[in-house]
Amino acid sequence: MGLLPERSNLCVLFLIVILSEGHFRWVEAQHCVWYGECGESEKVPGKKYNCNYTGPPLPLKPEGYDLLKELCPGYDYGNRSLCCNVDQLQTLKGSLQLPLQFLSRCPACFFNLMNLFCELTCSPHQSQFMNGTKFNESNVLEVQYYIGQTFSNAMYNACKDVQAPSSNVKALSLLCGREAKDCNATNWIQYMFDINNGQTPFPIIPIFSDIPVTGYTPMNNKTYDCTEGLEDGSGPCSCQDCSKACGPKPVPPPLHPPWTILGMDAMTVIMWISYMAFLLIFIGAVLAAWCYRKRTIMSEYGPILDSNNPLSLNSDDPDHVNASCCETLGERFENALRLLFTSWGSFCVRRPSLVILGSLILVVASSGGLVFMRITTDPVELWSSPSSQARQEKDYFDSHFGPFFRTAQLIITTPLHDTFIYSPYFGGSDVPFGAILNKDILHQVLDLQLAIEGLVAPYEGKNVTLKDICLSPLAPYNDNCTILSVLNYFQNSHAVLDHSIGDDFFVYADFHSHFLYCVSAPASLNDTTLLHDPCLGTFGGPVFPWLALGGYDDTNYNNATALVITFPLNNYLNDSVRLGKALAWEKEFIRFMKNFKNPNLTIAFNSERSVEDELNRESNSDISTIVISYAIMFIYISLALGHIHSFRRVMVDSKISLGIAGILIVLSSVAASLGIFSYVGIPLTLIVIEVIPFLVLAVGVDNIFIIVQTYQRDERMPHEELDQQIGRILGDVAPSIFLSSFSETVAFFLGALSNMPAVRTFSLFAGLAVFIDFLLQISCFVSLLGLDARRQEGNRPDIICCVKLPEGQEMKTDGFLFRFFKKVYAPFILKEWVRPIIVAVFVGILSFSIAVVNKVEIGLDQKLSMPDDSYVLEYFKNISKYLHTGAPVYFVVEDGLNYSTLEGQNLVCGGVGCNNDSLVQQVYTASLISNYTTIAYTPSSWLDDYFDWVKPQSTCCRYYNSTGTFCNASVVNSSCVHCRPMTPSGKQRPVGDDFMQFLPMFLSDNPNIKCGKGGHAAYATAVDLYPNNTGVGATYFMTYHTILQESPDFIDALKMARILADNISQSMDHKVFAYSVFYVFYEQYLTIVYDTALNLSMSLAAIFVVTTVLLGFELWSAVVVSITIAMILVNMFGVMWLWDISLNAVSLVNLVMSCGISVEFCSHIVRAFSISMKKDRVERAEEALAHMGSSVFSGITLTKFGGILILALSKSQIFQVFYFRMFLAIVLLGATHGLIFLPVLLSYIGPSVNRAKVFAAKQRYAGTERERLLNY
């Protein structure tokens, strides 16, 4: 029993202890941990420690009421008893300026963040969740802060999506000390409380828990989700800053599946079936016709009654012929042309001096325009029509914001493969670094960069340096050049690169840690390592790692294998002097880089002028190739024109001088064409210079061969003078020459309707050159032929015609080629068993070509435009291999939108209260599916940054009370006051006059450590203000395309950007367009298929109409010509697919040219067929092929073949692909179709003989030597 009272006393004592401990903790909860500010911080200069104080909260002095209401409105009640004084509130405001500027876009995020800091700094219940662990006299040196895990997660979740518009990155990338993707609730709060961030004067150790820990109850205040509005009326965060507010992520539409039949390409299957069906029908028809002929027994009167025989006698009146109206009209038209050309030919031979002199005067007068000749090498002028959408948008952009800057760029790799591992001193996993990021390599690269900065170029007696021409966004306050280089993380300084903190045993921080911090927060002015070096470039802007590094995977920039250094230079629209300075410096830059040698560095480089320079150099280097090509053709023509009968008469029968004269006539026609258009002011292009002589030589030489070889095969009639003979010959062949030349001229002039400058210019010059060539050939050349014939008849040797050789017997024989065509070739291909094989083969080739037409690639690989030995080629290859971002793209809002109204602002902005389909919001949404839209990042938005900058809570927007002029945030002056009052209306967006009052200040404000939102660096050129700052004109919002490597990527990027811009325009009801520097070059490919079809169709239609008329209204002949030329064109596409030739302006020019040259291959033979008077189609085709085939073969095919083969030796890849390959295909396809397929086609479905023409010929030659030939 005695023990019981004792045991009872112990229980009571234990209960008292428990109760007293709870009472003491409850009493302690009403106490502070600190109050006021005391000594200077040893670790962070300019910051102070808080004073150690464990008493109760004290009432705030009245002068701090406004500040408390601004920062911590939750404590603005009662007597405002707090654990902080006015000084601490001032420090808190200063420390939170950067988070305020970047996170206040999302009210819920910023409210939660302020809650965290207000509870820490001022809470009257501090000791419930704070524990002071280190003290020094009156200073608090370290505290523990118990934070609820739920609170910290909610705060992070509300802030994780908030954007930093000027940087195209998430705000946490700038505020978390690492990339946003690596940031989480824990390491973000740890970073904000870390003494190394430059803002925290003493360590604050966060401890995360949702349950009490060692007697402390974690701070777990109410938080707001980013989808929620605040009690003060602030709305929920925008979709751009809060992914939960966006709804489901957009899903790109599925790719169109390829068109297949039974798992195979549909076009291939269709053409295969079509070809098989054709073969069955065709072979059946051929066999049926053969059997029919075998069974039919012809009567002995068959030949007399054969209506196909043009000379049949079953006519009532031998002096009349039963011809149709069309046949009679055709005969009369043909006769008129024959009489005209006969008279003209006779005149030219009789009056050679007059004709030659007249021709010479006209050619010289026309060629005089070459004095005014301008050659366009500007790629924009070459590829983009002034009336095109892209060109007009480029002009609009240039006139409102200045032209897109010029660039000089280096892509640097190293042959070394020494990767190395960096182990952070303060823990964390090991980080591998690529060899290019070795410090010794970086020093060598910095030496190179500084040497380039120091380059001096002479220009008009003055020296030009980089600073004279470079882009300096903060000038005149900061005239440092923008250099997008990883060395700018180290302020372009060897000393900063070598900066390290450590002792004799360990390195705590060096260039590794600084690099890793800067790639995650490139706009930081103070890294979180012990170095405290800035990351912001010396020019006042951030260097984004995706612009300065290459060859890394994902965002592991430490794995980079290439450094990219970009020097943006100012560009000038109408200032030739300043543009000249830029060009002079770029020239010096190229010279320096060509001579630079370093065994540890492999450098690919490029400047704005490089492509144009290389195109000019290419043109000059190709001159030798072109000259050799033409020389071979000249030699061949000079030798082939002569018809040598015997070795003794070799000099008499040769026609070297006539051949040279013919070539000079061809070149004169080209010069005259160039001259006439130069008078008018139309500039030449390289395509014109390189292609037109080749084209006109093909057309012109063919005509020369036809005239000369017809003369050589002709026999002069009795009592016929030379001029009459040549006149008669010209009357026979000139209509055919006129037909082909006029068809080509009309076809080319119709091609000039194209929107593509390169195609239009080529078509104009080519059409005129072909027509002038025709005029000179039927005048000047005919006179020269007459003179040469007299020389030959006078037995005078060629060239040295003043010497007269002894008379010798002249034997008239046919040439070898003519005999071969007449005796061997023509009979063989028109054999009964050969013709079906030829048709089957050619239709098979056609079917294959149709099947692959839609598979020809569109575009022009820019690498092809450079010579084989060009330094730019290596640069293009490295761009594809290493670069990780595409070109900048600007969404331009045209003049006329009222930004001073809430409605106008909501159409564009991306923050709180903005429309869900605003411009910024739509571009942001597009960036979420960048693989489809090619938009890589959220756009930079001057409007959203302006709203953050002008907020009264921020220190950014201030002005001098006395003068009203802008006061920068870094200025300490009592007369600087906030732009807007700390009232509910003052916290709203500026509208009306307020909007325009402060916008010019924002656009002139340079970012600094107290205000990172200054708009001068990022937006100075993005807003076109009206005169006297009365309003906002055109503006742009910039983002980037994804990586674009091949032509289809660029075409797709342009297409998708335009679709997006059109959608934005519709939702805003205001014109918005997308602009990037490459759009003017790739716009042509959006319509190139249509343009190609239109150009070639118009050319074919023109050929059809002209052929119909000039063949004497023989419609079916024109159809046959058109079918054959269409087959050649379709087969050209088959060759393009087989030989990897893409469809672009260059290949389209060649296709238009092939249309012209094909006329030469086809029209002469069809005309010869139409005027032949043999008894059936096979014999008429044989005669046409024998007489015209040899001239066409020797005139075009052989002439061109030698010249084309030389083009294969060109250094220029564009020559090898687009000229050698396409020219070879044109000649081979033209020759095979004209000399193999066309005669066979005529033998099957050629037009019936024109009875009126036959009757007229019979009447004309009655009683002459030619009557015997006719009857034969």
Side-chain angles (χ1 to χ4, degrees), residues 1048-1242:
D1049 300 334
F1050 286 96
I1051 298 164
D1052 190 47
L1054 166 59
K1055 198 185 300 179
M1056 297 310 300
R1058 284 200 172 163
I1059 290 171
L1060 179 56
D1062 288 342
N1063 290 340
I1064 294 169
S1065 298
Q1066 286 180 10
S1067 60
M1068 288 177 60
D1069 195 25
H1070 185 85
K1071 175 66 175 168
V1072 175
F1073 66 84
Y1075 169 75
S1076 189
V1077 69
F1078 67 84
Y1079 288 179
V1080 286
F1081 306 115
Y1082 286 90
E1083 184 188 39
Q1084 57 177 309
Y1085 302 122
L1086 297 181
T1087 58
I1088 188 119
V1089 173
Y1090 171 79
D1091 288 341
T1092 303
L1094 183 67
N1095 268 301
L1096 298 182
S1097 300
M1098 285 196 304
S1099 296
L1100 266 176
I1103 290 165
F1104 174 75
V1105 171
V1106 173
T1107 306
T1108 302
V1109 174
L1110 295 185
L1111 280 179
F1113 302 97
E1114 292 193 3
L1115 194 67
W1116 190 243
S1117 297
V1119 169
V1120 171
V1121 169
S1122 301
I1123 287 172
T1124 312
I1125 294 174
M1127 285 180 67
I1128 293 171
L1129 291 175
V1130 173
N1131 289 337
M1132 280 297 296
F1133 283 100
V1135 171
M1136 287 170 69
W1137 181 77
L1138 284 172
W1139 227 337
D1140 292 326
I1141 302 170
S1142 53
L1143 179 61
N1144 50 53
V1146 181
S1147 51
L1148 179 51
V1149 164
N1150 286 338
L1151 287 169
V1152 172
M1153 184 184 76
S1154 73
C1155 198
I1157 290 182
S1158 300
V1159 175
E1160 289 292 318
F1161 282 109
C1162 302
S1163 62
H1164 297 305
I1165 288 172
V1166 170
R1167 186 176 182 280
F1169 179 88
S1170 75
I1171 61 171
S1172 171
M1173 287 170 283
K1174 294 290 184 180
K1175 66 176 182 179
D1176 60 27
R1177 288 189 177 95
V1178 174
E1179 291 184 14
R1180 288 164 64 205
E1182 191 176 318
E1183 183 186 42
L1185 182 58
H1187 282 84
M1188 277 299 177
S1190 58
S1191 295
V1192 169
F1193 184 73
S1194 54
I1196 304 184
T1197 314
L1198 294 181
T1199 305
K1200 284 282 154 276
F1201 208 72
I1204 288 169
L1205 293 178
I1206 299 300
L1207 294 180
L1209 305 176
S1210 171
K1211 287 183 181 177
S1212 162
Q1213 296 182 87
I1214 209 163
F1215 254 67
Q1216 293 169 12
V1217 173
F1218 291 102
Y1219 295 143
F1220 166 65
R1221 293 181 187 178
M1222 286 198 80
F1223 284 7
L1224 188 62
I1226 288 166
V1227 170
L1228 291 179
L1229 286 174
T1232 51
H1233 281 76
L1235 301 176
I1236 300 174
F1237 176 74
L1238 181 58
V1240 172
L1241 183 66
L1242 289 169

Side-chain angles (χ1 to χ4, degrees), residues 809-871:
Q809 186 65 33
E810 183 182 348
M811 293 288 293
K812 196 81 169 177
T813 59
D814 289 329
F816 166 75
L817 200 57
F818 176 69
R819 291 200 307 275
F820 171 76
F821 264 78
K822 187 174 181 179
K823 303 290 187 189
V824 179
Y825 177 73
F828 173 75
I829 70 158
L830 290 166
K831 282 183 183 296
E832 197 161 6
W833 63 271
V834 175
R835 290 187 297 150
I837 295 172
I838 288 172
V839 171
V841 169
F842 276 82
V843 173
I845 294 168
L846 178 68
S847 302
F848 166 79
S849 299
I850 293 172
V852 300
V853 159
N854 62 334
K855 297 171 185 61
V856 173
E857 279 202 13
I858 291 172
L860 174 62
D861 184 352
Q862 54 187 355
K863 293 191 281 290
L864 287 179
S865 61
M866 294 293 102
D868 282 342
D869 58 349
S870 173
Y871 65 89

Side-chain angles (χ1 to χ4, degrees), residues 179 181 432 550-561 882 884:
E179 274 197 84
K181 71 179 181 67
Y552 52 85
D553 55 285
D554 196 23
T555 52
N556 299 311
Y557 302 114
N558 46 286
N559 289 335
T561 54
Y882 295 112
H884 275 256

Side-chain angles (χ1 to χ4, degrees), residues 373-435:
M373 182 175 72
R374 286 186 301 122
I375 298 178
T376 300
T377 53
D378 180 0
V380 175
E381 296 290 339
L382 276 174
W383 304 114
S384 177
S385 167
S387 61
S388 68
Q389 181 184 341
R391 188 71 172 278
Q392 289 177 340
E393 289 170 351
K394 177 187 185 300
D395 292 343
Y396 188 94
F397 185 92
D398 291 352
S399 61
H400 286 81
F401 311 113
F404 193 81
F405 50 78
R406 305 173 70 84
T407 56
Q409 192 171 60
L410 313 175
I411 300 175
I412 304 172
T413 54
T414 178
L416 307 177
H417 301 288
D418 306 329
T419 57
F420 55 97
I421 303 296
Y422 166 63
S423 303
Y425 174 76
F426 293 108
S429 56
D430 289 350
V431 182
F433 272 73

Side-chain angles (χ1 to χ4, degrees), residues 31-193:
H31 282 240
C32 297
V33 173
W34 59 46
Y35 188 87
E37 294 185 337
C38 290
E40 289 280 336
S41 169
E42 296 174 4
K43 300 288 180 69
V44 184
K47 299 282 184 178
K48 291 186 175 183
Y49 293 118
N50 289 338
C51 303
N52 184 16
Y53 171 73
T54 54
L58 300 176
L60 185 67
K61 291 180 180 178
E63 58 264 31
Y65 287 176
D66 288 343
L67 205 52
L68 180 67
K69 188 175 182 180
E70 176 189 339
L71 297 174
C72 306
Y75 291 130
D76 188 28
Y77 62 88
N79 67 353
R80 302 174 181 82
S81 292
L82 302 169
C83 293
C84 64
N85 65 5
V86 177
D87 291 338
Q88 285 176 285
L89 285 171
Q90 292 282 11
T91 300
L92 176 62
K93 180 174 181 177
S95 298
L96 289 176
Q97 276 305 300
L98 281 179
L100 165 73
Q101 291 154 26
F102 287 103
L103 297 179
S104 61
R105 290 168 50 85
C106 178
C109 160
F110 191 65
F111 176 87
N112 297 338
L113 182 75
M114 290 304 298
N115 225 326
L116 177 75
F117 281 96
C118 284
E119 291 295 314
L120 170 72
T121 308
C122 295
S123 173
H125 315 292
Q126 264 182 347
S127 54
Q128 273 190 344
F129 47 78
M130 282 175 61
N131 178 28
T133 52
K134 287 186 182 177
F135 305 93
N136 175 15
E137 299 171 358
S138 61
N139 299 323
V140 178
L141 300 185
E142 183 182 281
V143 296
Q144 292 175 333
Y145 186 5
Y146 292 83
I147 306 168
Q149 190 70 56
T150 302
F151 176 90
S152 56
N153 287 340
M155 184 183 82
Y156 168 76
N157 288 334
C159 294
K160 65 181 180 181
D161 295 321
V162 178
Q163 301 289 329
S166 62
S167 308
N168 298 99
V169 294
K170 293 192 186 303
L172 287 189
S173 287
L174 308 174
L175 301 172
C176 191
R178 67 197 72 224
E179 274 197 84
K181 71 179 181 67
D182 299 324
C183 190
N184 56 42
T186 304
N187 60 28
W188 178 29
I189 293 173
Q190 287 171 340
Y191 169 70
M192 289 192 289
F193 292 155

